Amino acid sequence: MLSTDSATPDTLRPGAALDPDIATAVRAFAAAADARDLPALDAILHPDFRVLFTSAGVQGVKTLPRALYLQLAREGKVGGVPREVNVSDMRGRADLAWAEVRLDGAAATFTSVMTLARTDARWLVIEDATVYAPKG
């Protein structure tokens, strides 16, 4: 259950106690991507999932729909690298939640705002808006 602010029902306050299932879903997505575990990715991604992707210092945003993202994972073109996951500043309203996420790998950092939708009593990742920053 989401913690609520009495002034705005169903809204998470920054720093408030958060539904642990939101962070669990974010971490499950990251772990599945890092391992290129296609069945686990399929299970945690909402049917309307998409990635919004840009690189630090580069103008423009690319969109990867769910099917293309899974194809790229299957082909070894995304994921496959272990990353440290830091989930912060989660917020939500009703059946939607947002989490700021930093994924640190050996060669790059991804700074994301992930949107999750509660479907059939579980949280699924519906969007990953991420900025890619290579290290070094």
Side-chain angles (χ1 to χ4, degrees):
M1 184 61 76
L2 295 175
S3 296
T4 59
D5 178 357
S6 60
T8 54
D10 300 322
T11 302
L12 284 175
R13 297 184 315 270
L18 304 169
D19 181 344
D21 291 341
I22 298 167
T24 298
V26 168
R27 291 180 190 286
F29 166 65
D34 292 356
R36 289 191 185 122
D37 182 341
L38 295 176
L41 276 172
D42 190 53
I44 197 66
L45 298 181
H46 188 279
D48 295 324
F49 171 80
R50 69 179 182 167
V51 174
L52 301 177
F53 175 89
T54 191
S55 295
V58 176
Q59 288 189 325
V61 175
K62 295 179 182 173
T63 302
L64 301 175
R66 185 182 199 277
L68 179 57
Y69 178 80
L70 290 171
Q71 176 185 335
L72 293 172
R74 189 171 20 264
E75 294 172 354
K77 295 179 180 175
V78 298
V81 177
R83 298 169 295 174
E84 181 181 328
V85 180
N86 180 12
V87 180
S88 63
D89 195 25
M90 292 187 290
R91 298 170 185 246
R93 178 173 290 285
D95 288 334
L96 287 175
W98 302 267
E100 290 184 18
V101 182
R102 182 181 171 103
L103 301 117
D104 281 311
T109 298
F110 295 82
T111 305
S112 298
V113 174
M114 292 189 189
T115 304
L116 295 92
R118 188 171 24 215
T119 304
D120 297 327
R122 51 183 288 233
W123 291 100
L124 300 177
V125 179
I126 194 167
E127 183 175 86
D128 179 10
T130 192
V131 176
Y132 167 82
K135 293 181 177 178

